[in-house]
Amino acid sequence: MFVLSASLSVPTDGNFADWVIFLTQEYGGIFLEGCMWTLLIALVGTVAGCVIGFICGSIQTIEIQDTDPLYKKLFIGILKLIFNIYVEVFRGTPMMVQAMVMYYGLPMIGISLAALPCGFLVVSINTGAYMAESVRGGIDSVDIGQFEAGKAIGMKHFEILRFIVMPQAIRNIMPQIGNQLVINIKDTSVLNVISVSELFFAGKTAASVYYKYFESFFIVAVIYLCLTLVISRIIRFIEKKMDGAADYSLESTGSTELKGEV
Amino acid sequence: MAEKKRKEEIVIRVDDLKKSFGNHQVLKGVDFHVRKGDVTCIIGASGSGKTTLLRCLNLLETPTSGQIYFHEQPITKYKMNIEQFRSRMGMVFQSFNLFNNMSVLDNCMLGPIHVLKKNKEEAREEAEKYLEKVGMHPQINAMPHQLSGGQKQRVAIARALCMHPEVILFDEPTSALDPQMVGEVLAVMKEMAQEGITMVIVTHEMAFARDVSTKTIFMKDGSVVEQGSPERIFYNPTSPYTAEFLARFMAG
């Protein structure tokens, strides 16, 4: 970078394109690093959020039977209540505010987190709250007959969820997961309030030196757009993969006329 | 006494079974039993409680009162392992309910592997055997959405057979099929009946009930009106309701 920037001169005529090129070369490393953190936080946050969402969403589907023992009714009831409160609180407040509250609030109860781990935590928990609802919807969208068929062969509730219902629910909520990932890529920008050096923060850094806010954030916008475009194409590809082939091959049963027939 | 000795053991006994959904009483005290090897057909008009009765048998519906005994063990009163109980009682649904995310073969292997704890090779061998039996072996790699209704139902029957259940419950297995497919499914069921598999079948296929069942139960408005051998129910019904219900079928 030093070699590169040393050979560059600051554009003097204020031409937009010249400034964009200059800033890209001068702060390419910073943009790249911001880009990396944005992508990493968004990806990890979405995956962790999905895990939280799947746990919450699955628990919400447990039916309490009249015949269940009291401790089980209580335990599941309390668990559902806690998850409900969690979902309401984290869906009902802005992520930027959550970041501030956690970053400055957690040390009060003895948990001191650096900006970056705090950023990961905020995005994960926030995504989890949204995914919990998506997963519940995804499970609800799977035909009740699938549950019943699983029960009828003697499978337990969580076995049915794991082997039969979840794979179908995941396919149904794949567009939502993709959506959430795209939203997270953009929304990690709010983490600049706790000084996480993600892409928006990189843009601010680059802009402040020469007071070139438009040029700097133009570059940032282009990078965000590239990231989200690529990510949504990948998600679409995964969805197609999950749908599987449209046809199937017949198992050869020894009779020659069946061979090659599709 | 000699006759009693000849009779097989009672597998299912239903005693004064009642079921209500809210204020609507669907089953108003049903009594019957199923012996080993019996093919019991439950017939009656739509809404007479046939399906609800069948679903109560493996506790997909919880009875409001009354008792169901499986090998003389009450299944609703005592804490019985419900999963283990269900694994001994197969079920075939009207809407097939094949696991949509799995191939035909995996549909048949899931239960044996996770419930019966068989190893993969054994489960696969068994699954292939039963799929062969229902004539679905060539399609073992197919996904459910690629199959016709009749094919799906035959896979569903193979899936039930793979669990080696003591009884298989059929809930209107042919009601969602066109006439040609009805034939292929009924042929499989007839073969099973001849092999002595215990079956309880809710059906609207009167000819099948008459020819294949060893016992026919006629239900009306949540009660059993009469039960007995198919010859007696079809040709010599004691209740005017049975005669009326069967009149159209017998005329045609």
Side-chain angles (χ1 to χ4, degrees):
Chain A
M1 267 342 277
F2 276 109
V3 183
L4 201 60
S5 56
S7 67
L8 279 169
S9 53
V10 178
T12 47
D13 57 355
N15 183 305
F16 172 72
D18 288 346
W19 273 106
V20 169
I21 294 165
F22 171 75
L23 287 174
T24 309
Q25 287 173 332
E26 178 90 356
Y27 297 106
I30 290 175
F31 285 130
L32 214 60
E33 201 195 324
C35 181
M36 184 195 79
W37 283 119
T38 288
L39 209 52
L40 200 63
I41 294 170
L43 274 173
V44 172
T46 307
V47 171
C50 283
V51 173
I52 297 172
F54 278 115
I55 295 168
C56 291
S58 314
I59 301 243
Q60 299 288 4
T61 64
I62 299 176
E63 291 165 30
I64 299 176
Q65 309 282 344
D66 287 341
T67 51
D68 284 337
L70 186 67
Y71 74 89
K72 191 180 169 189
K73 284 183 189 170
L74 264 174
F75 179 69
I76 294 186
I78 290 170
L79 220 53
K80 283 187 178 182
L81 181 70
I82 291 171
F83 285 141
N84 269 332
I85 293 171
Y86 158 65
V87 168
E88 292 302 336
V89 167
F90 281 87
R91 278 200 322 177
T93 52
M95 192 154 85
M96 200 190 277
V97 174
Q98 291 163 18
M100 294 297 269
V101 169
M102 279 205 211
Y103 188 59
Y104 295 105
L106 285 181
M108 305 275 240
I109 54 167
I111 308 167
S112 203
L113 279 179
L116 205 53
C118 191
F120 278 104
L121 191 68
V122 168
V123 176
S124 304
I125 292 178
N126 190 276
T127 308
Y130 281 94
M131 286 312 297
E133 287 297 287
S134 299
V135 170
R136 205 170 54 87
I139 292 172
D140 282 347
S141 73
V142 174
D143 180 18
I144 185 85
Q146 299 283 313
F147 271 103
E148 290 187 347
K151 280 186 194 170
I153 58 171
M155 296 181 86
K156 296 187 176 73
H157 183 79
F158 278 103
E159 285 178 326
I160 298 173
L161 274 184
R162 181 173 155 210
F163 295 111
I164 303 162
V165 176
M166 270 307 176
Q168 297 180 47
I170 289 177
R171 174 61 192 91
N172 290 345
I173 61 174
M174 243 348 246
Q176 304 245 41
I177 293 175
N179 227 353
Q180 195 61 50
L181 185 53
V182 167
I183 288 173
N184 279 347
I185 286 174
K186 296 184 295 176
D187 282 5
T188 47
S189 59
V190 305
L191 296 178
N192 83 87
V193 295
I194 56 169
S195 311
V196 174
S197 54
E198 40 67 53
L199 191 51
F200 182 90
F201 193 81
K204 251 182 19 181
T205 309
S208 57
V209 181
Y210 300 98
Y211 297 103
K212 289 291 171 192
Y213 284 91
F214 175 42
E215 289 80 356
S216 183
F217 280 98
F218 176 77
I219 297 166
V220 168
V222 169
I223 298 174
Y224 272 122
L225 191 61
C226 289
L227 288 180
T228 53
L229 282 178
V230 169
I231 289 289
S232 48
R233 290 304 172 281
I234 292 174
I235 294 284
R236 197 73 51 79
F237 176 76
I238 295 172
E239 278 175 35
K240 278 225 173 98
K241 262 263 149 65
M242 287 172 90
D243 287 340
D247 52 8
Y248 62 96
S249 58
L250 286 173
E251 185 75 0
S252 163
T253 49
S255 57
T256 43
E257 70 254 54
L258 274 176
K259 275 180 185 162
E261 208 179 291
V262 175
Chain B
M1 277 294 116
E3 197 184 329
K4 216 173 191 179
K5 234 180 187 175
R6 206 197 68 216
K7 286 196 167 169
E8 297 280 355
E9 173 198 5
I10 291 176
V11 184
I12 301 173
R13 191 155 60 81
V14 177
D15 183 18
D16 197 27
L17 185 71
K18 291 180 180 146
K19 173 70 186 177
S20 303
F21 292 108
N23 289 326
H24 179 53
Q25 193 172 18
V26 181
L27 296 177
K28 298 168 184 166
V30 173
D31 297 277
F32 74 97
H33 63 258
V34 174
R35 288 177 190 279
K36 195 160 176 279
D38 269 358
V39 177
T40 309
C41 280
I42 305 172
I43 59 171
S46 296
S48 57
K50 307 183 299 292
T51 293
T52 307
L53 170 61
L54 200 70
R55 288 167 61 85
C56 282
L57 290 185
N58 73 349
L59 295 178
L60 285 181
E61 303 288 355
T62 314
T64 310
S65 74
Q67 194 51 268
I68 300 166
Y69 300 88
F70 186 62
H71 291 290
E72 298 303 325
Q73 296 268 355
I75 60 170
T76 45
K77 202 172 179 178
Y78 296 101
K79 280 238 144 262
M80 194 167 164
N81 182 336
I82 186 166
E83 282 87 15
Q84 200 212 348
F85 161 68
R86 281 180 178 143
S87 74
R88 295 165 70 183
M89 182 113 71
M91 181 142 183
V92 174
F93 298 86
Q94 180 179 353
S95 50
F96 328 124
N97 294 349
L98 292 185
F99 305 133
N100 293 325
N101 57 319
M102 289 174 210
S103 70
V104 165
L105 187 63
D106 289 337
N107 260 278
C108 294
M109 287 167 63
L110 190 71
I113 289 174
H114 292 289
V115 181
L116 303 180
K117 310 290 179 203
K118 289 191 177 172
N119 66 40
K120 250 189 160 165
E121 289 72 35
E122 202 184 341
R124 187 186 168 111
E125 209 170 286
E126 284 251 291
E128 290 200 33
K129 185 179 95 188
Y130 285 116
L131 285 166
E132 183 88 63
K133 189 186 167 90
V134 299
M136 287 300 294
H137 193 274
Q139 286 87 0
I140 59 173
N141 295 323
M143 297 301 280
H145 67 90
Q146 295 163 326
L147 302 177
S148 73
Q151 290 178 320
K152 283 185 200 172
Q153 198 60 295
R154 284 187 283 149
V155 173
I157 291 171
R159 179 175 69 182
L161 284 169
C162 284
M163 296 295 293
H164 297 290
E166 290 169 57
V167 187
I168 302 184
L169 312 174
F170 290 81
D171 179 18
E172 301 192 30
T174 58
S175 296
L177 303 174
D178 70 35
Q180 190 206 334
M181 294 174 182
V182 168
E184 67 189 44
V185 170
L186 291 184
V188 169
M189 289 168 64
K190 204 165 179 174
E191 200 180 312
M192 289 163 65
Q194 281 158 1
E195 287 173 18
I197 295 171
T198 313
M199 305 197 273
V200 181
I201 306 163
V202 168
T203 186
H204 290 295
E205 295 292 327
M206 293 304 149
F208 178 82
R210 184 190 59 194
D211 299 340
V212 179
S213 71
T214 57
K215 183 183 194 175
T216 304
I217 296 174
F218 174 68
M219 283 184 73
K220 185 181 186 296
D221 299 331
S223 309
V224 171
V225 176
E226 60 180 314
Q227 50 182 311
S229 71
E231 293 79 20
R232 200 182 68 62
I233 300 288
F234 280 85
Y235 297 110
N236 228 338
T238 51
S239 158
Y241 294 121
T242 318
E244 192 194 331
F245 177 76
L246 290 170
R248 193 175 301 157
F249 163 69
M250 297 309 278

